[in-house]
Every structure is written in structure tokens, then in C-alpha cells.
Amino acid sequence: MAAPARKRATYEDVLRAPENMVAQLVDGQLDLQPRPRAVHARCASVLGGLLDPPLGWGDGGGPGGWVILDEPEIHFGEHVLVPDLAGWRRERMPGAARRRLLRARARLGV
């Protein structure tokens, strides 16, 4: 007898995941991973800190115009992914995320 079909996970399953887990949704399967350990988080933060000045602001002859984010939740169709780092050209950021970023920059005066 065949095993019963598995119920496809949804974004609601991602939202119900424990706070101490990183929840991703790939091909209808919920993937739960523990939050990164301190050394992993530190490495990702340092890498983002190195990338942001040249890519984000154009310092040191870099191109500027990029937004680099730590652990953003990215939606690709039915998939929900949480990479360590992700980058977008400012003008290509999704609308709502771009508006939130611009409001935050205005509050900070940058």
C-alpha cells in the first residue's frame, strides 16, 4: 500500500514556526533550521559590512546603488527563502521593501 500523500506546506506553516528556527518553504516542503550560531552570524555580518560601503554607497570606487540585507525573507512564487545575505539594485527592490527602506533612511537622515 502506498504512503498517504503529504500535505503541502504553506506560508501559514512558515508563520507558525518557532522563533528560534529559520523557516523556509521549498517545493511545498517546510524546512526548519536552527538560527545560525554566533560565529556564522558574525561572519555574515562582517561580509555584509565589507560589501555595503562599495556596493551600497560607492565608497572606495565601488559602483554604489545596491541594498545589501542580512537574512531577508524572499518570496519566489510558492517558495520562501531566507539567505544569509542578499542584494538588490535599489531601483529593482520590490516596491513595499523599497518604500520601507526609504522611510527608514529618512528617519536616520541618510
Side-chain angles (χ1 to χ4, degrees), residues 6-25:
R6 261 183 136 166
K7 177 184 167 280
R8 290 180 69 80
T10 67
Y11 189 61
E12 291 300 317
D13 296 307
V14 171
L15 294 176
R16 283 194 295 266
E19 282 192 30
N20 65 328
M21 303 294 275
V22 175
Q24 300 187 105
L25 186 59

Side-chain angles (χ1 to χ4, degrees), residues 22-68:
V22 175
Q24 300 187 105
L25 186 59
V26 180
D27 292 326
Q29 298 294 314
L30 182 64
D31 178 50
L32 296 173
Q33 298 290 324
R35 301 286 315 152
R37 295 179 76 154
V39 68
H40 177 101
R42 175 70 179 140
C43 289
S45 294
V46 168
L47 182 57
L50 291 171
L51 292 173
D52 197 45
L55 294 177
W57 306 105
D59 294 349
W66 285 79
V67 175
I68 308 296

Side-chain angles (χ1 to χ4, degrees), residues 71-93:
E71 296 187 10
E73 182 177 283
I74 301 174
H75 295 243
F76 289 111
E78 68 174 22
H79 308 294
V80 178
L81 307 173
V82 183
D84 292 334
L85 291 172
W88 290 265
R89 292 285 307 161
R90 248 183 225 115
E91 66 273 7
R92 296 195 60 189
M93 276 191 82

